[in-house]
Amino acid sequence: MPEPTKSTISVTAQDPKKKKPEEKPEEAVKDGASKKKDEEKEGEELSEEDLQLKTELEMLIERLRVCCFAQPALETLRTLIRTSTSSMTSVPKPLKFLHPHYPGLQELYETWPVSDNKSLFADILSVLAMTYSDTQPRGTLRYRLLSAALSPSKQLSKPGSWGHEYVRHLAAELGEEYNSREFDEEGEEKTSEENRVPGTVDDLRTLAIECATFLLQHNAEPDAVDLLEELEIVDRIVDIVDENTYERVCQYMIRCVNLLPPPDDISFLRTAHRIYAKHNKFPQALSLSIRLGDSELIRKDFNAPANPSMKKQLAFILARAQVPKEWLDPEDGMDDGESELPEDFLECLSNARLSAQFKEFGKELSVLEPKSLEDVYKSHLENTRSTAAANVDSAKANLAGTFVNAFVNAGFGNDKLMAKAEEGNSWVYKNKDHGMLSAAASLGLSLLWDTDDGLSQVDKYTYSSEEYIKAGALLATGILNCGIRTEADAAIALLSEHVENKSVPLKTSAIMGLGLAYAGAQREDVMALLLPFVADDGVSMEIASLASLALGFIFVGSGNGDVASTILQTLMERDDKQLDEKWARFMVLGLALLYLGLQDGSDATIATLRAIEHQISQTAVVLVDMCSFAGTGNVLKVQELLHYCDEHIDKTPKEKKDEDEKKNDKDATPEEPPKDDTFQAFAVIGIALVAMGEEIGSEMSLRQFNHLMHYGEPTIRKVVPLALGLVSASNPQLPIMDTLSKYSHDNDLQVALNAIFAMGLLGAGTNNARLAQMLRQLAGYYYKEPDCLFMVRIAQGLVHMGKGTITINPFFSDRTIMSRTAVAGLLATLTAFTDAKAFILDKYHWMLYFLVPAMYPRFLMTLDEELNNIAVTVRVGQAVDVVGQAGKPRTISGFQTHSTPVRLGTTERAELATEEYIPFAHVLEGFVILQKNPGWEKEDKMDI
């Protein structure tokens, strides 16, 4: 089959233009064409074969003018065009020789009566029109549709029979025609008589389906998807893909999602989901349902497979995404649902095995031994002066030690300072007042996910007479239950009684403990406990805001109407003075988290927020808007957020007016003007939040942050490092590392402080040697600045988090699914850092534990169908994007072969090294169940 690939050449482009005004006869057209050929150095001499072909074609054209010879002449013309062969760079000979006759043939066509012959003639003209595409746009499509209209009785030849280039040409013209009609509303009225393309939009779509079918059969899946997307019928691709093409089509569609505007992105995901569901690819379908956040689809996908091992694998995927267990219950009632799900499914769904498996993983990697603070600091390598120790605030150093110890030994439950401390020698007592709260809570982090052993260890601190220690124990209870669902439901049982406590530390710890323990669980009973605190005007702003944040954690991305309306009501009813407080930002964040990833779902709330007269409404609008589009890579949203950042010109006069009033007040947050520009700080974080879901977008955002750092107001500058940390959490890229290193020496201590913390976020759980070295240098540089030194220690703890086995990157499953609970945790932590002096460096350092929902082991554990660990050889390398590439290219590069369990970096991917086992999951990450390949052993014996 000839496949001409280049049909428009310079000859065709200029001939008609020259000849049109003079309206010369056909012979003159031929002369013009031949002159042009001379210029092209093609010469007049044609080979004998070409001359013969040319003469034959001219004779056929003459015959078309005689009625009785018309049909055989058309048949012969069709055969000649279809069977012509040509090189990839030149136009097929028949098209070349017929090109000068095209205007004459058009005139002849108009004189023919309606018949099957005229339909065939139109079909041939449609092919010839390719050579006139620049002077007579959409001629190919026009004649194709005329041909179809003239021959309703007889089956028209498929577009593919004219070759690949013809189909591509037709596809391009279909898109143009469809867009012009859409543009003109009723396109036919506006186009001129001769150029009018016949047929309705339905005719265009029917033809598009034919072209797409051909393209799919010839390995041009992206072209087929693009064509159907242009004609807005991408959902119909489900019926034309087969088992050979669906995988490539879905991969391409999923990669397109980040580049499409809403609602096209959602329709692409739904279409890809339907294709996967149709071809029984359950894990792929489920991961798309999770991205869509559609409980109905998730329930269907989970119940679709009959194989129990596949169901367990799906349960692991749901547990990783923190999908509420209630979503899987049948609609008729909860009780039946619980009895239906067997024990082992529930165990997978509730993440109950996570702690034991994580410790097993640590044992395999030989990192089970607890690390001391000195192992992390390596202070003998710091180039500090000997007198430095005298200037260090000892309480502050101990407090930093609390966090470092907790983060580094997180999940292993065997650290020397807290979990395995000797009786009466616990690190708690080396801290003062509010430091004790964080120290007691650090036990929860050390025993992370270990609900059995953990609760008994924390329990002894709940009886302490010291109020702060007791409060810390409540927070620890919440932390260690984070992401784990147990039947005992210990967190609510232990914390609910303290929610009503009169003591503020106990009350706030119990509220936040519930928020962390049930993050993403969407539990109505916890809502009933916490909602009254948001609504009650009598309680302080601190308690109302933290209750609001806890509800944001629990109902993250659910768009829950009750919680949203209560928070909105509170924002409207509270006094201006209360809304001026530093806590208001957490109340607004609680509201924003409800709409995480819901895109247009937050429109009504944003409209309501705009009606609030207080300045907090501006911050609220920015937060809700950016959370709605988190991880979508939506370019328009990024532009909108950038616009908020350039409003600094108006702020200066206000600030100058109020400067005198502010001189005595160190904490500027409650004053009006700074509140006024808080929204800018969140807009900067918002840019990172929206862009981080897509590689190109996140790279482009780095340049914007650079500009903001150069030209932004202090409010904006201090938040830029945090945005850099968010865009690349647990993924230490060199350019970002160097940028943050530069910012960490900034004259503005706020900027330096946030840059140091962002370095911790950037390398969280990676053990990155370069970052560790940078932080050691900073420890020497800031040895006289207790606040900065405290932050350097925290960052060191984060870099060595879980001894290099834990990640805080919110994306999983090959970086396609965004964990909403992880984003909620990161955002809450960054919100505390928008005013570090008022929160983290004051007595609210326990807010660093907001990172807990984002913490998850970065491992690949392979299990057999009985869920026992098995060692399998796997290749681990840098993930390579192979979407749309021909053949079956390698999906990883620079790989190393390991035996499972293995540790996976943020941008790494794993694949099985042999075919001995077949994985149930489509992405080798987290827990993967393997099935023995029945054909493997036979091959093995043959080799022997």
Side-chain angles (χ1 to χ4, degrees):
M1 184 89 257
E3 291 197 1
T5 53
K6 192 96 174 164
S7 59
T8 49
I9 57 175
S10 54
V11 178
T12 63
Q14 286 151 16
D15 269 3
K17 277 188 197 167
K18 262 189 199 169
K19 308 302 167 197
K20 241 184 181 173
E22 296 158 84
E23 286 180 3
K24 290 190 178 176
E26 269 176 49
E27 285 82 329
V29 176
K30 277 186 218 167
D31 290 347
S34 61
K35 274 182 205 164
K36 200 71 182 158
K37 280 178 198 160
D38 281 339
E39 287 165 32
E40 298 279 332
K41 293 183 183 171
E42 283 193 22
E44 275 297 299
E45 312 87 47
L46 292 169
S47 70
E48 212 171 303
E49 277 176 31
D50 289 355
L51 210 55
Q52 190 185 341
L53 178 63
K54 192 175 179 197
T55 321
E56 190 179 349
L57 289 168
E58 281 165 3
M59 182 186 71
L60 288 170
I61 289 167
E62 287 307 315
R63 283 189 177 177
L64 286 177
R65 301 180 192 281
V66 185
C67 287
C68 55
F69 295 128
Q71 190 172 353
L74 284 171
E75 298 282 358
T76 316
L77 261 179
R78 178 167 65 180
T79 312
L80 279 172
I81 294 172
R82 282 189 182 172
T83 54
S84 67
T85 54
S86 74
S87 70
M88 293 290 281
T89 52
S90 64
V91 177
K93 289 285 189 319
L95 292 188
K96 192 172 173 182
F97 298 144
L98 288 169
H99 170 260
H101 302 281
Y102 179 67
L105 290 172
Q106 281 182 298
E107 285 163 26
L108 179 61
Y109 168 82
E110 298 300 337
T111 62
W112 281 26
V114 174
S115 65
D116 283 347
N117 282 350
K118 187 169 183 177
S119 166
L120 178 54
F121 195 179
D123 210 6
I124 290 169
L125 281 176
S126 165
V127 181
L128 293 181
M130 288 199 295
T131 59
Y132 264 82
S133 56
D134 8 24
T135 50
Q136 295 186 13
R138 301 201 278 285
T140 304
L141 177 62
R142 178 167 171 259
Y143 282 112
R144 174 77 201 180
L145 289 168
L146 281 170
S147 173
L150 291 166
S151 143
S153 55
K154 213 165 118 189
Q155 191 58 41
L156 194 65
S157 64
K158 292 228 179 314
S161 62
W162 293 108
H164 202 278
E165 189 55 39
Y166 175 73
V167 175
R168 284 181 54 183
H169 214 90
L170 209 50
E173 293 190 0
L174 274 166
E176 285 170 30
E177 173 62 24
Y178 184 78
N179 288 336
S180 73
R181 290 193 185 195
E182 290 299 289
F183 185 75
D184 296 343
E185 305 265 317
E186 286 300 321
E188 283 98 337
E189 317 274 314
K190 301 202 176 183
T191 44
S192 62
E193 202 55 44
E194 63 189 77
N195 276 350
R196 181 193 288 182
V197 174
T200 61
V201 169
D202 285 342
D203 293 339
L204 294 180
R205 287 177 167 166
T206 310
L207 183 53
I209 291 285
E210 282 184 41
C211 291
T213 310
F214 174 82
L215 291 166
L216 284 172
Q217 287 161 356
H218 293 79
N219 302 325
E221 292 89 354
D223 297 350
V225 175
D226 292 345
L227 172 61
L228 296 184
E229 156 65 3
E230 221 164 350
L231 272 78
E232 297 179 357
I233 47 168
V234 81
D235 52 329
R236 282 166 67 176
I237 201 167
V238 179
D239 307 319
I240 56 175
V241 293
D242 57 24
E243 65 276 2
N244 300 319
T245 54
Y246 78 90
E247 188 62 56
R248 288 169 63 88
V249 167
C250 288
Q251 282 178 346
Y252 179 71
M253 289 179 77
I254 292 164
R255 287 290 290 178
C256 286
V257 169
N258 286 324
L259 309 172
L260 291 168
D264 290 354
D265 51 356
I266 300 295
S267 73
F268 259 51
L269 281 176
R270 288 195 179 278
T271 306
H273 176 271
R274 279 174 57 206
I275 297 173
Y276 276 138
K278 185 178 169 184
H279 289 89
N280 293 338
K281 290 290 173 190
F282 305 115
Q284 288 95 320
L286 184 70
S287 62
L288 293 181
S289 307
I290 294 169
R291 278 182 76 169
L292 287 161
D294 187 325
S295 55
E296 189 67 34
L297 281 181
I298 289 174
R299 185 187 305 115
K300 263 191 200 151
D301 290 339
F302 180 69
N303 293 320
N307 184 339
S309 300
M310 176 57 89
K311 239 176 161 164
K312 285 177 200 167
Q313 182 64 68
L314 298 185
F316 279 131
I317 295 172
L318 289 173
R320 172 69 181 99
Q322 298 284 295
V323 169
K325 213 160 43 180
E326 291 69 33
W327 282 11
L328 303 176
D329 297 335
E331 284 147 11
D332 38 28
M334 272 183 165
D335 302 335
D336 312 342
E338 286 194 12
S339 57
E340 268 179 39
L341 277 178
E343 190 65 40
D344 48 354
F345 286 3
L346 276 174
E347 197 179 75
C348 300
L349 263 177
S350 57
N351 255 339
R353 308 169 62 89
L354 188 58
S355 177
Q357 291 284 23
F358 179 61
K359 286 174 183 166
E360 183 62 33
F361 173 56
K363 193 167 151 193
E364 287 287 334
L365 266 60
S366 313
V367 292
L368 212 49
E369 284 302 304
K371 270 195 171 187
S372 68
L373 297 181
E374 190 46 45
D375 292 341
V376 177
Y377 296 162
K378 298 195 171 132
S379 39
H380 59 283
L381 299 175
E382 289 173 14
N383 46 359
T384 42
R385 333 286 185 285
S386 51
T387 52
N391 300 318
V392 175
D393 176 1
S394 152
K396 200 107 186 162
N398 284 356
L399 183 61
T402 300
F403 288 105
V404 173
N405 176 58
F407 282 126
V408 171
N409 296 302
F412 290 106
N414 59 359
D415 68 290
K416 294 272 180 13
L417 302 187
M418 290 293 304
K420 296 282 183 266
E422 291 158 27
E423 200 58 50
N425 203 11
S426 169
W427 188 258
V428 173
Y429 303 107
K430 296 205 172 148
N431 288 277
K432 290 183 191 163
D433 303 341
H434 47 79
M436 289 178 161
L437 194 157
S438 287
S442 76
L443 185 59
L445 192 48
S446 177
L447 297 158
L448 193 58
W449 309 310
D450 187 352
T451 44
D452 306 332
D453 189 29
L455 289 170
S456 56
Q457 289 215 36
V458 172
D459 189 51
K460 60 182 180 222
Y461 291 107
T462 54
Y463 302 112
S464 169
S465 54
E466 186 64 60
E467 188 179 55
Y468 283 112
I469 296 179
K470 202 169 176 182
L474 297 181
L475 192 55
T477 307
I479 289 170
L480 67 87
N481 277 291
C482 185
I484 311 291
R485 311 271 172 264
T486 54
E487 279 190 36
D489 226 2
I492 194 166
L494 294 167
L495 299 176
S496 53
E497 56 186 286
H498 295 285
V499 169
E500 299 289 347
N501 203 303
K502 287 194 171 56
S503 148
V504 174
L506 286 171
K507 200 176 190 128
T508 53
S509 293
I511 289 171
M512 274 333 296
L514 285 169
L516 292 170
Y518 294 105
Q522 302 188 18
R523 290 273 295 263
E524 300 285 334
D525 48 351
V526 187
M527 178 170 83
L529 264 179
L530 299 180
L531 214 49
F533 294 110
V534 182
D536 186 357
D537 279 353
V539 300
S540 71
M541 202 60 188
E542 177 182 350
I543 288 163
S545 298
L546 288 174
S548 160
L549 179 62
L551 287 165
F553 272 6
I554 297 164
F555 290 92
V556 63
S558 67
N560 187 296
D562 298 343
V563 180
S565 55
T566 309
I567 297 175
L568 281 169
Q569 193 70 28
T570 307
L571 287 170
M572 286 174 177
E573 289 172 1
R574 288 260 177 181
D575 301 346
D576 283 4
K577 197 160 178 246
Q578 287 178 312
L579 292 176
D580 282 342
E581 284 185 41
K582 62 184 180 185
W583 289 102
R585 66 190 74 194
F586 283 107
M587 180 174 281
V588 176
L589 179 64
L591 174 66
L593 290 177
L594 298 174
Y595 296 101
L596 193 69
L598 294 190
Q599 300 203 5
D600 301 331
S602 61
D603 288 356
T605 305
I606 289 176
T608 315
L609 284 168
R610 289 190 199 280
I612 297 173
E613 284 165 24
H614 189 269
Q615 291 163 348
I616 191 78
S617 74
Q618 180 75 0
T619 309
V621 168
V622 172
L623 262 166
V624 174
D625 208 11
M626 75 191 211
C627 282
S628 308
F629 288 88
T632 57
N634 188 308
V635 184
L636 297 173
K637 207 43 72 182
V638 173
Q639 285 178 346
E640 203 177 302
L641 291 164
L642 276 167
H643 278 301
Y644 287 121
C645 299
D646 67 5
E647 285 178 38
H648 57 268
I649 310 108
D650 318 337
K651 304 287 174 283
T652 29
K654 275 189 195 173
E655 280 176 16
K656 278 184 180 159
K657 275 185 225 163
D658 291 86
E659 214 152 53
D660 300 342
E661 298 168 33
K662 284 201 301 185
K663 265 181 187 163
N664 308 326
D665 192 355
K666 277 189 183 172
D667 185 5
T669 325
E671 292 299 322
E672 225 174 60
K675 200 55 180 178
D676 210 2
D677 57 13
T678 308
F679 74 90
Q680 291 187 313
F682 286 111
V684 177
I685 294 174
I687 295 167
L689 186 66
V690 175
M692 71 178 177
E694 190 249 326
E695 240 164 279
I696 300 163
S698 51
E699 265 178 52
M700 286 164 64
S701 68
L702 301 182
R703 192 152 159 252
Q704 302 302 336
F705 293 140
N706 204 3
H707 293 323
L708 290 171
M709 201 65 181
H710 277 287
Y711 309 113
E713 291 287 288
T715 313
I716 292 174
R717 289 187 78 243
K718 74 177 182 193
V719 187
V720 169
L722 298 176
L724 286 169
L726 177 62
V727 115
S728 190
S730 281
N731 181 16
Q733 300 173 46
L734 274 176
I736 303 182
M737 227 189 277
D738 292 340
T739 309
L740 286 174
S741 177
K742 188 172 74 187
Y743 295 160
S744 63
H745 296 79
D746 199 271
N747 294 334
D748 183 346
L749 273 185
Q750 287 272 302
V751 176
L753 207 76
N754 285 354
I756 296 167
F757 179 68
M759 286 163 90
L761 288 181
L762 185 70
T766 60
N767 279 350
N768 188 289
R770 189 181 172 123
L771 263 174
Q773 173 63 17
M774 283 177 179
L775 290 167
R776 278 199 295 276
Q777 286 171 347
L778 282 168
Y781 183 77
Y782 283 121
Y783 76 103
K784 281 186 177 169
E785 280 286 342
D787 284 351
C788 289
L789 187 59
F790 172 73
M791 210 36 79
V792 171
R793 297 306 184 204
I794 300 289
Q796 285 178 311
L798 290 175
V799 169
H800 297 283
M801 183 190 281
K803 290 171 260 190
T805 57
I806 291 179
T807 181
I808 57 165
N809 193 293
F811 291 91
F812 65 97
S813 186
D814 215 0
R815 286 174 300 149
T816 54
I817 308 175
M818 182 180 79
S819 161
R820 291 177 177 184
T821 46
V823 173
L826 286 167
L827 272 181
T829 316
L830 295 186
T831 303
F833 273 93
T834 51
D835 192 351
K837 281 259 184 287
F839 293 111
I840 303 288
L841 300 174
D842 195 23
K843 53 184 184 193
Y844 303 105
H845 31 72
W846 54 264
M847 287 186 174
L848 286 166
Y849 295 128
F850 285 157
L851 280 175
V852 172
M855 291 164 64
Y856 200 83
R858 44 163 83 223
F859 58 30
L860 162 61
M861 304 282 276
T862 43
L863 314 170
D864 62 15
E865 295 185 70
E866 266 59 66
L867 302 186
N868 303 315
N869 290 9
I870 46 173
V872 182
T873 47
V874 288
R875 301 192 189 102
V876 179
Q878 285 299 312
V880 179
D881 180 20
V882 294
V883 174
Q885 287 185 21
K888 289 190 174 175
R890 282 231 171 270
T891 53
I892 57 174
S893 73
F895 61 81
Q896 293 178 316
T897 308
H898 297 285
S899 176
T900 55
V902 291
R903 176 188 174 285
L904 293 176
T906 307
T907 54
E908 288 178 337
R909 189 181 281 160
E911 55 182 42
L912 293 178
T914 62
E915 291 177 12
E916 186 178 353
Y917 290 95
I918 302 167
F920 280 100
H922 64 303
V923 175
L924 296 189
E925 203 175 289
F927 296 111
V928 176
I929 300 174
L930 303 177
Q931 181 183 38
K932 196 89 166 139
N933 185 349
W936 170 258
E937 290 167 82
K938 293 168 195 164
E939 287 176 34
D940 226 19
K941 279 173 192 164
M942 279 168 67
D943 288 348
I944 289 164

